[in-house]
Amino acid sequence: MKKFAVLTDSACDLPQTLAEKHHIDILCFKIALDGEGYTERVDFTPEEFCDMLRASSGLPTTSQVTQFEFMEQFEAYDKQGVEEVVYISINAGGSGTNAAAHAAARQFHEEHPDSGMTIDVVDSYCYSFAYGVEVVRASEMLESGEPMEKVVAYLNEKFRRTEILLTAYTLKVIRKSGRVSAAAAIAGDLLGIHPIFTLNDGVSQVIKKVRGDKLVVTNMVSQMKARMAPGTPYYIGVADHKFEEEYAAACEKAVGYPPALVFHLGCAICSNTGPEAVGLIYEGTAVRER
């Protein structure tokens, strides 16, 4: 079996325990807030970051993982005798990180023509644990002896089925993404109206607007049940732990079994959704063409 490395970025929201268990390396996004610069997963926990967001006067910004950082990582792998690398990235349409990885891979091969190390860069077309869970699966497959080409093919097929439902209970942060206009965000906060988005193939679409917190849960869960492939695992991401029990109970009642994992949305994700967001991740019934 060839020596391999599995690499991803911190927007995957992979819990550190799982990353360590499966020997997954993570390159971290930089975040700026109120004039200060930070590194995700290094300078604070997601919970601490959400508290900072609530108290902040400005809005956060994120910086992509750079070509230089990827190049350093690839050269380190080469020195360790790694023969195959797979990097599974945040949606390329929402971040330049994927492009930076491709550029670094080209640079590595140009500067190290004698190296036999291969580098595969896979665009997840999604966000958060929607690709974090598949990073784990890729590591498991490689560890069991599956060839890299089969793993990459699996990932590309899986991401054509992956779906995300997202809602935000406060719209201050999410409006900066352009998904909600400033006027609509202000009106929504005043009237208690919450949008429900799909985030499929990295494209956001408001599919419903509901008024009142209880109706948000009901509609999020009913949308997931209608769209997901029966019997497949699903995952709940929360920006605040206060949402955990209600969503887990509602989802289990609707689909008949509990979530495979309830996790905290990471700092890079909350920089775009705000500190009061919930995401549902599942496998859809349809295979999307690209």
Side-chain angles (χ1 to χ4, degrees):
M1 187 169 65
K2 292 182 178 180
K3 186 174 182 180
F4 65 86
V6 178
L7 179 66
T8 189
D9 53 69
S10 58
C12 72
D13 292 347
L14 184 64
Q16 190 60 31
T17 52
L18 285 178
E20 292 173 358
K21 177 181 178 181
H22 295 281
H23 310 291
I24 294 163
D25 296 314
I26 301 174
L27 295 178
C28 297
F29 283 86
K30 303 297 189 295
I31 299 172
L33 181 64
D34 288 345
E36 297 292 330
Y38 306 95
T39 301
E40 182 174 17
R41 303 176 79 102
V42 175
D43 293 324
F44 36 55
T45 65
E47 292 90 339
E48 290 169 339
F49 179 69
C50 284
D51 287 339
M52 292 168 62
L53 272 182
R54 293 185 184 96
S56 68
S57 57
L59 295 173
T61 58
T62 57
S63 299
Q64 68 187 52
V65 182
T66 66
Q67 180 177 338
F68 176 77
E69 291 174 287
F70 279 111
M71 186 65 178
E72 279 194 323
Q73 187 68 64
F74 294 155
E75 289 182 327
Y77 285 150
D78 191 47
K79 289 177 181 178
Q80 295 163 14
V82 171
E83 298 168 274
E84 297 179 321
V85 179
V86 59
Y87 165 58
I88 304 163
S89 84
I90 184 175
N91 167 43
S95 171
T97 299
N98 179 278
H102 277 289
R106 290 193 297 269
Q107 181 185 354
F108 175 83
H109 291 306
E110 289 169 1
E111 296 185 8
H112 304 276
D114 295 330
S115 173
M117 187 176 76
T118 63
I119 303 171
D120 284 285
V121 177
V122 178
D123 182 0
S124 73
Y125 289 87
C126 58
Y127 300 95
S128 189
F129 200 64
Y131 68 101
V133 64
E134 300 307 336
V135 174
V136 171
R137 180 61 183 142
S139 180
E140 291 174 335
M141 291 175 70
L142 290 166
E143 191 64 45
S144 70
E146 297 284 5
M148 183 63 77
E149 58 268 25
K150 183 174 181 179
V151 173
V152 171
Y154 162 82
L155 291 169
N156 286 328
E157 180 67 14
K158 195 74 172 180
F159 291 139
R160 293 170 64 204
R161 293 180 179 272
T162 300
E163 296 191 10
I164 302 172
L165 285 170
L166 173 70
T167 193
Y169 286 80
T170 58
L171 303 176
K172 171 187 172 182
V173 173
I174 203 168
R175 77 185 186 201
K176 82 179 178 69
S177 68
R179 297 185 178 98
V180 177
S181 71
I186 293 169
D189 281 339
L190 289 174
L191 298 173
I193 297 172
H194 310 296
I196 295 176
F197 303 88
T198 54
L199 271 173
N200 300 334
D201 289 341
V203 178
S204 66
Q205 180 181 1
V206 177
I207 58 171
K208 203 158 191 179
K209 295 179 182 179
V210 296
R211 188 169 184 175
D213 291 0
K214 290 295 182 183
L215 283 178
V216 178
V217 180
T218 302
N219 280 272
M220 283 278 283
V221 173
S222 63
Q223 287 287 336
M224 183 183 75
K225 182 181 179 182
R227 301 169 71 98
M228 72 181 290
T232 56
Y234 65 94
Y235 309 86
I236 303 173
V238 297
D240 191 306
H241 289 298
K242 68 184 180 184
F243 297 115
E244 284 185 18
E245 290 186 8
E246 185 176 20
Y247 271 88
C251 287
E252 182 171 1
K253 182 179 179 180
V255 303
Y257 52 91
L261 180 71
V262 179
F263 66 94
H264 201 289
L265 295 170
C267 307
I269 301 301
C270 289
S271 290
N272 290 282
T273 65
E276 303 283 332
V278 177
L280 302 180
I281 297 166
Y282 55 93
E283 181 176 320
T285 55
V287 177
R288 296 184 299 280
E289 297 298 329
R290 293 194 183 125

